[in-house]
């Protein structure tokens, strides 16, 4: 039997058992030599340094230290970095592509639970569930068999801000349902929007027309507080803002002002800062439903990330193109 290539884990030891539980680790060991007791949380560790010199594959994840030029110099046999998490932007120093490295990411796998969370919140928001729960809890009764006006998801307009990986998954999940989906993204043209099955609009027009607005744009300097006082003022009365992207995309002070008037409501899985200060008004405003950054992979969903990395490893060793290979040019555009 030919000698199996050596792989080295580079991630947090706390998260490794969730990402690579026993059955996933067993499948991994069928392809490579790997020691789950040897994990690179610090590339300066002598044992890690020794393994790095022989490793052909780095299996990275949350908590991976920076893979810089010095680390790559110490790993002359390294040919692939397989990341069981989202973006590799924070773990790989620029120029890695010049070394001929193959890099893949489980960002698609991590996008799915965020999209599922978003879909759930869109459906619940369309039913006015959050306000209805507060009314029921306060009054302890409700008029039986009354048809409530102004709620429901038939023909509800959902505005997607950003055709990111997650934004596209949300659009895909909405497609079989009776929503009208709008999209604002300066990098998407009419033909691509038509292929996605959405109506392309400038951001201001989308905000004016949407019943529910869901943010899926990247956190870059140009998008800092992209939803601010002026943008919130454009949203129609009773509209709902959902943010599962990054807290910095929304001006929280402006949002608090709007929600206090009961004109808008919000679902926030991300905030700025994280966690919020204990005295933040966002905790107590009845128009805000806030969750502790849990839309991404949690619990049994984390296993999906490990399976994604193992699948990429098997394709790599079989000489088959990787399904989730990172494009350096795309990574640079997102920087």
């Amino acid at each position: 039997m030919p000698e199996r290539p050596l792989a080295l884990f580079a991630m947090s030891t706390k998260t490794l058992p969730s990402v690579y539980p026993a059955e996933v680790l067993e499948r991994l060991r069928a392809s490579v030599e790997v020691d789950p007791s040897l994990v690179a949380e610090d590339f300066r560790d002598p044992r890690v340094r020794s393994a790095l010199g022989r490793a052909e594959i780095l299996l990275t994840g949350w908590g991976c230290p920076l893979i810089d030029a010095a680390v790559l110099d110490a790993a002359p046999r390294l040919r692939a970095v397989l990341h069981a998490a989202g973006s590799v932007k924070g773990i790989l120093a620029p120029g890695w592509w010049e070394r001929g490295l193959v890099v893949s990411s489980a960002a698609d796998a991590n996008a799915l639970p965020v999209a599922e969370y978003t879909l759930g919140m869109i459906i619940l928001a369309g039913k006015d569930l959050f306000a209805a729960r507060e009314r029921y809890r306060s009054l302890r009764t409700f008029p039986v068999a009354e048809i409530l006006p102004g709620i429901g998801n038939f023909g509800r307009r959902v505005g997607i801000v950003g055709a990111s990986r997650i934004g596209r998954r949300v659009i895909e999940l909405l497609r079989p349902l009776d929503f009208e989906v709008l999209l604002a993204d300066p990098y998407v043209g009419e033909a691509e929007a038509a292929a996605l099955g959405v109506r392309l609009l400038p951001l201001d027009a989308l905000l004016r027309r949407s019943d529910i607005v869901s943010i899926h744009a990247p956190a870059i300097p140009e998008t800092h507080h992209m939803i601010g006082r002026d943008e919130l003022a454009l949203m129609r009365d009773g509209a709902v803002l959902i943010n599962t992207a990054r807290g910095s995309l929304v001006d929280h002070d402006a949002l608090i002002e709007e929600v206090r008037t009961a004109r808008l409501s919000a679902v926030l899985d991300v905030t700025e800062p994280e966690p919020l200060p204990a005295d933040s008004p966002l905790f107590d405003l009845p128009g805000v439903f806030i969750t502790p950054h849990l839309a991404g992979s949690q619990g049994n969903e984390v296993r999906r990330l490990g399976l994604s990395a193992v699948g990429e490893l098997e394709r790599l060793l079989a000489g088959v193109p990787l399904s989730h290979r990172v494009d350096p040019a795309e990574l640079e555009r997102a920087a």
Side-chain angles (χ1 to χ4, degrees):
M1 178 181 291
E3 183 179 350
R4 291 173 299 164
L6 176 68
L8 174 66
F9 286 116
M11 59 191 303
S12 165
T13 55
K14 291 180 180 179
T15 60
L16 190 146
S18 298
V19 179
Y20 293 98
E23 69 277 13
V24 180
L25 189 59
E26 182 180 359
R27 180 175 158 188
L28 180 65
R29 281 174 155 164
S31 299
V32 294
E33 177 189 343
V34 65
D35 180 359
S37 70
L38 179 61
V39 182
E41 292 184 292
D42 184 344
F43 285 120
R44 295 169 299 181
D45 182 295
R47 288 183 64 221
V48 168
R49 203 77 175 174
S50 174
L52 192 62
R54 299 181 292 114
E56 296 184 41
I57 297 151
L58 280 181
L59 298 166
T60 60
W62 294 312
C64 176
L66 180 66
I67 303 170
D68 58 16
V71 173
L72 294 178
D73 286 344
R77 301 181 65 182
L78 187 66
R79 55 181 172 132
V81 174
L82 307 179
H83 193 50
S87 174
V88 299
K89 190 167 58 174
I91 68 162
L92 275 166
W96 55 265
W97 52 88
E98 297 170 1
R99 308 266 186 150
L101 279 181
V102 173
V103 176
S104 91
S105 162
D108 281 343
N110 197 43
L112 180 55
V114 183
E116 290 172 341
Y117 173 104
T118 304
L119 174 66
M121 293 302 173
I122 288 170
I123 291 172
L124 296 179
K127 280 286 195 179
D128 195 31
L129 181 135
F130 307 115
R133 175 181 180 273
E134 293 301 318
R135 289 193 298 270
Y136 194 13
R137 187 163 61 175
S138 173
L139 300 173
R140 305 298 165 111
T141 187
F142 67 95
V144 178
E146 179 182 32
I147 296 177
L148 301 175
I151 72 169
N153 287 308
F154 182 64
R156 183 74 66 181
R157 271 189 191 150
V158 178
I160 303 296
V161 180
S164 63
R165 180 181 281 107
I166 296 169
R168 289 168 187 262
R169 291 302 292 265
V170 173
I171 291 169
E172 180 183 335
L173 293 178
L174 288 170
R175 193 169 292 131
L177 307 177
D178 290 318
F179 290 100
E180 179 184 351
V181 183
L182 313 177
L183 172 67
D185 189 313
Y187 299 103
V188 173
E190 292 289 350
E192 187 176 3
L196 289 170
V198 299
R199 183 179 178 190
L200 188 64
L201 292 174
L203 179 60
D204 57 353
L206 177 143
L207 294 172
R208 287 191 185 97
R209 299 184 188 190
S210 298
D211 301 301
I212 300 167
V213 174
S214 188
I215 304 173
H216 303 286
I220 55 177
E222 292 78 9
T223 60
H224 182 75
H225 286 187
M226 69 180 297
I227 306 296
R229 186 167 281 102
D230 292 344
E231 289 74 24
L232 292 168
L234 295 174
M235 294 177 66
R236 56 175 56 186
D237 292 355
V240 181
L241 180 71
I242 300 174
N243 189 11
T244 58
R246 288 291 182 266
S248 63
L249 302 179
V250 177
D251 181 339
H252 286 95
D253 291 337
L255 179 63
I256 289 167
E257 289 177 15
E258 287 283 6
V259 175
R260 274 180 171 151
T261 69
R263 197 181 75 79
L264 302 178
S265 56
V267 175
L268 305 176
D269 188 54
V270 291
T271 57
E272 185 187 38
E274 281 187 332
L276 284 170
D279 61 353
S280 171
L282 290 170
F283 285 120
D284 300 312
L285 285 169
V288 176
F289 185 81
I290 187 166
T291 54
H293 202 145
L294 53 72
S297 296
Q298 296 284 342
N300 61 24
E301 297 164 336
V302 176
R303 174 174 169 268
R304 186 190 283 129
L305 306 181
L307 285 170
S308 174
V310 172
E312 291 290 77
L313 173 68
E314 291 168 347
R315 282 184 280 275
L316 176 75
L317 298 181
V320 175
L322 273 60
S323 297
H324 306 291
R325 185 167 181 166
V326 174
D327 178 355
E330 183 179 330
L331 192 66
E332 286 296 290
R333 285 195 297 271

